[in-house]
Amino acid sequence: MTATEAVRDGDEPVRQGAEPVRDTPPAPPTPARAPAPAKAPRPVTRVLTPALVLGLLALCLVSASIGAYHIPLGDLLASLAHKVGAGGHALDRVGESVLWNVRLPRVVLALLVGASLGCAGALMQGVFGNPLAEPGVIGISSGAAVGAVASIALGIDFLGNWTVSVFAFVAGLATVLLVYALSRSGGRTEVVTLILTGIAVNAFAGALIGLCVFFADNAQVSQITFWQLGSLAQATWPKVLAVLPCALIGLAVAPLYARKLDLLALGERPARHLGVDVERLRLVLVLVVALLTAAAVAVSGIISFVGLLVPHLLRMAAGPGHRFLVPASALGGGLVLVGADLAARTVAAPAELPLGVLTALFGSPFFFWLLRRTRRKQGGWA
C-alpha cells in the first residue's frame, strides 16, 4: 500500500526510519496544584449571639448598680449570691431595699418589655414582608391606650393598682381581633387590607383618647399623659409577674415559626406550594404579636420604635434568616430598653425622662434614615 492510499484509508503513513505511531491516547497533562482553599469566614450569628447575651448581662448589672443610691458592683454581686445561697453577704437595710424593691424589678421589667417588643417587631416584619412594619401598625398600642385612658378618665378602680394594666391588655387584644376580623374577605386576609384597617382603627382610637382627655379632670389628664409617654418608674415585682407569663409564652412560641416565616418571604404562592398554611400562620403570629405587645404596653405605657429599630439592625448585620432574627430581636430589644431606661433615669438626674420620649427621640431619625435608604435602593417609590 502506498502512503497516499494509507492516508486515504485514514491511516497515518509511516515515515522511513521513524517510530510507528501507536494507537494509545496521549497522557493527560499534569494538573497544577490548586491553592489551598481559604478558610471560610465565621458566620456573623456565631459572634453576634454571645455578644448580645454578654452585653445584656453586663448592662443589667450596671443598670442595677447605678442610680441616685450607688451600689458598688462587688456588693451587688455579693447580695445576689447571698440571696441564692451561694455565699456573699447582705447589704445594709437601705441598700437591700433599693436593690431588691426598686432596681431589680425595674431592670427585669425593662428586659421583659424590651424582649417582647423586639420579638413582636421581628414577627410583624416577617408576616408583612416589610422591614418598616412594627406592632403599632395593626392597632395594638393604640387599642391598649384606649383601654388604659378610659379606665383613668372614668375613674374605674375596682381592680386596684391593676385596673389600668388589665384594661390596657384586654383592649389591646380586642383591637387586634377587631382589625383581623374587619380585614378578612372570602376566607382570606390581604396584607394591604390589614394595614389599612389598622390605620383606620388607630385613627379612631386616637379620637377616643382625645374625648377621654377632654372630659377628664386635671389629675386624670396628668396620669393619662404620664402613661402615654411610657415609663418604668412604677415597676414592682407584681408587675413583673403579671407580664412574665405572656412574655414567656410569646417568646417560646415565636421561634417555632421561624422556618415558615423564611418560606413566606418567598411570597404567598410559593409558600403555599411548599406546604405553608399562610392564613393560619398569619393568624397565629398576629395573636402572638398581640399577646407580647399588649402585655408590654399594659405595664409600661407606649414605647415606640423598639420593634422597628432592633429587628432591622439585626437583619442588616446578619441577614434575613428568622431562626436567628426572632430570638436575637428579643435579646436586642431587652438590651436596648435596659440601656434606654438607664439613660432615662440618669441623664437628667435627679429628674427622670419619659422612656417613650427617649426611644422616639432616637428612633425617629433612624426611621427617617431607613425610609431614605429603602427608597434609594428601590430607585424611588412605585
Side-chain angles (χ1 to χ4, degrees):
M1 179 183 296
T2 65
T4 304
E5 291 172 339
V7 172
R8 189 181 298 123
D9 289 340
D11 297 329
E12 181 75 13
V14 180
R15 295 176 184 173
Q16 188 175 5
E19 283 289 330
V21 178
R22 290 183 173 86
D23 210 11
T24 57
T30 305
R33 178 173 295 180
K39 196 172 182 180
R42 194 176 185 186
V44 177
T45 56
R46 295 185 182 178
V47 179
L48 202 53
T49 301
L52 286 172
V53 173
L54 294 177
L56 184 58
L57 290 176
L59 190 58
C60 286
L61 292 176
V62 171
S63 182
S65 173
I66 296 177
Y69 185 90
H70 180 67
I71 301 175
L73 190 58
D75 291 343
L76 170 63
L77 295 175
S79 181
L80 292 174
H82 180 72
K83 279 288 184 179
V84 299
H89 59 81
L91 305 179
D92 58 84
R93 184 176 60 85
V94 176
E96 283 284 298
S97 178
V98 169
L99 177 61
W100 290 97
N101 297 329
V102 179
R103 295 274 175 79
L104 287 181
R106 184 161 182 165
V107 171
V108 175
L109 191 61
L111 174 61
L112 291 175
V113 170
S116 298
L117 294 177
C119 182
L123 294 179
M124 286 291 295
Q125 293 173 11
V127 168
F128 289 146
N130 190 328
L132 302 181
E134 62 142 358
V137 168
I138 55 176
I140 305 172
S141 299
S142 59
V146 169
V149 170
S151 67
I152 295 172
L154 298 176
I156 302 174
D157 59 356
F158 65 92
L159 295 175
N161 293 331
W162 291 96
T163 304
V164 175
S165 299
V166 170
F167 269 71
F169 179 74
V170 173
L173 286 180
T175 303
V176 171
L177 294 177
L178 176 63
V179 169
Y180 192 81
L182 292 176
S183 61
R184 286 181 65 84
S185 177
R188 296 182 63 246
T189 306
E190 295 181 354
V191 172
V192 175
T193 307
L194 191 67
I195 294 175
L196 293 177
T197 306
I199 292 173
V201 170
N202 278 329
F204 184 70
L208 292 179
I209 292 173
L211 283 176
C212 291
V213 171
F214 179 78
F215 289 108
D217 58 32
N218 290 335
Q220 291 170 339
V221 168
S222 299
Q223 189 178 355
I224 290 171
T225 303
F226 181 78
W227 190 89
Q228 284 187 294
L229 292 176
S231 177
L232 297 174
Q234 298 179 353
T236 59
W237 286 118
K239 285 192 175 183
V240 171
L241 295 177
V243 74
L244 184 62
C246 299
L248 290 181
I249 292 173
L251 295 175
V253 171
L256 302 179
Y257 291 89
R259 180 178 174 275
K260 293 184 178 180
L261 283 173
D262 289 338
L263 295 178
L264 185 61
L266 301 174
E268 288 192 21
R269 184 173 297 177
R272 287 193 180 96
H273 287 315
L274 293 171
V276 178
D277 188 341
V278 176
E279 283 303 309
R280 182 180 178 184
L281 174 65
R282 188 168 290 147
L283 175 61
V284 171
L285 292 184
V286 165
L287 290 177
V288 171
V289 169
L291 185 68
L292 290 170
T293 309
V297 171
V299 296
S300 64
I302 298 177
I303 298 176
S304 56
F305 288 104
V306 175
L308 170 68
L309 185 147
V310 173
H312 197 80
L313 286 178
L314 291 172
R315 187 180 290 104
M316 292 170 60
H322 288 86
R323 291 182 62 184
F324 165 78
L325 187 61
V326 172
S329 295
L331 292 173
L335 180 68
V336 167
L337 207 62
V338 171
D341 183 60
L342 176 61
R345 59 186 176 83
T346 56
V347 168
E352 181 173 324
L353 295 175
L355 184 57
V357 171
L358 196 62
T359 57
L361 192 63
F362 288 95
S364 299
F366 174 80
F367 185 68
F368 178 73
W369 170 80
L370 187 58
L371 285 173
R372 300 279 297 178
R373 178 177 179 271
T374 304
R375 185 186 182 201
R376 198 162 49 242
K377 286 181 65 177
Q378 293 182 355
W381 299 112

